[in-house]
Amino acid sequence: MVRKGLTLLLMTGAVLGVGGCGIWDHGAQEENIPEYVFTYAENQAEDYPTAQGAVRFAQLVYERTGGKIEIQVNAGGSLGDERGIIKQMRFGGIDFARISLSSLADFIPKLNVLQMPYLYTDANHMWEVLEGEIGDDFLNSFEGSGLVAMSWYDAGARNFYNTKKPVECLEDMKGMKIRVQESEVMQRMVRALGGIPVPLPYDQVYSALETGEIDGAENNWASYDSEGHYRVASYYTVDEHTRVPELQLVSEVTWNKLSDEYKTIIRECAQESALYERELWEKRSQESERRVRESGCHVVELTAEEKARFQEAMIPIYGEFCSDYMEIIEAIMEAGR
Ligand code: GCU
């Protein structure tokens, strides 16, 4: 088995690349050579809650398998953008990842349900759904996708921001070129508000804002801060148009190599790391909001009346993308009442 670990290490060497951050020192640990060395892709910076959650996950797995499974976390998007990562995972080129649900939903359309605009009343409502039977059913709905879903991570609520002007009402969105994730639903949301959607990978947003290729984008406080978007697009509008959870995933090819014992350990560690990420999320989100406000950004809180107009403009999206899943949507809404 030692040989298998070594071979895998060599085989995955090209994928691990220079960006791979080994968390453990292997010097003088010949006895403890891992049986498996896996790659984990994360497109956020190393200090971001999801990346910290990934490191915790890798540490827990290492400990609980007695050092037999090593997972190398590649943060900062060093293994590529989310769509590319999903494609590679489907044939086992990358083993693990944390991916935004939006990036997955074009591959697994049922997931669109969970990112419908204004679906949840607040974060508690979303967590009640994700941690209950509905969330479990979604985790189990990846069959045939080449991916296995392990746990949910938090990503707060998304808001619009731009380089031009304060957005205070629906009319202010008109004609704005807004970067969205590479997701049909996200594009449709911007169109419903009168904007022009520009799908782009996450790592290209900063320069697109800077060069004027786009007027704005939308994301949570932590991403707006972490990627430095607030420095080039200083008008932020708290409209909370959607909450898009994150998923921790493993490639099915990788999964099928593992014993039942390892699978159980990995699932448990994924779940524990998710709880850790949620704690970090709360703190980071508040810190980011404070940093952004103190930097002098212009923050608009959308009035309840305007929020209702945003919401109304986006209602048709439910029928267009989720007509087959209306019962689930009803159940989600019911959980929030
Ligand atoms: C969030 C999410 C990322 C995603 C990004 C985006 O920040 O955590 O995984 O790539 O949104 O807008 O693309």
Side-chain angles (χ1 to χ4, degrees), residues 43-44 48 82 98-100 155 158 179 181 202 218-220 223 246:
N43 77 347
Q44 300 284 9
Y48 196 88
E82 292 193 325
R98 189 282 313 160
I99 304 273
S100 166
R158 296 178 77 100
R179 175 271 172 174
Q181 289 172 277
Y202 189 45
E218 47 83 60
N219 219 318
N220 53 51
S223 300
E246 320 267 21

Side-chain angles (χ1 to χ4, degrees), residues 71-72 78 147 187 295 315:
I71 298 171
Q72 303 224 356
S78 58
L147 303 168
Q187 293 185 52
S295 77
I315 286 174

Side-chain angles (χ1 to χ4, degrees), residues 16-166:
L16 294 176
V18 188
C21 59
I23 311 161
W24 303 277
D25 176 14
H26 296 293
Q29 284 198 9
E30 286 189 5
E31 287 303 304
N32 213 7
I33 291 175
E35 201 176 316
Y36 297 103
V37 176
F38 292 132
T39 46
Y40 186 118
E42 165 57 63
N43 77 347
Q44 300 284 9
E46 274 176 29
D47 67 347
Y48 196 88
T50 54
Q52 294 289 308
V55 170
R56 172 64 63 92
F57 168 65
Q59 282 168 342
L60 289 172
V61 171
Y62 190 77
E63 278 162 28
R64 293 195 192 156
T65 59
K68 292 297 170 201
I69 299 185
E70 177 176 333
I71 298 171
Q72 303 224 356
V73 178
N74 296 259
S78 58
L79 296 186
D81 63 42
E82 292 193 325
R83 274 182 101 86
I85 290 165
I86 295 167
K87 286 180 190 152
Q88 290 199 60
M89 287 181 85
R90 296 171 96 178
F91 65 82
I94 292 175
D95 303 298
F96 291 86
R98 189 282 313 160
I99 304 273
S100 166
L101 177 135
S102 268
S103 300
L104 288 156
D106 282 358
F107 297 95
I108 306 166
K110 187 179 169 189
L111 292 177
N112 277 319
V113 167
L114 298 177
Q115 63 167 348
M116 281 296 105
Y118 297 106
L119 176 63
Y120 314 102
T121 45
D122 55 21
N124 288 340
H125 177 200
M126 183 185 81
W127 283 110
E128 202 179 307
V129 169
L130 295 182
E131 288 189 325
E133 221 174 282
I134 298 176
D136 288 348
D137 284 350
F138 275 98
L139 289 182
N140 293 329
S141 65
F142 278 64
E143 209 167 305
S145 71
L147 303 168
V148 176
M150 302 189 297
S151 69
W152 303 103
Y153 272 26
D154 204 352
R158 296 178 77 100
N159 300 303
F160 288 104
Y161 49 92
N162 76 90
T163 59
K164 305 278 185 211
K165 59 175 190 219

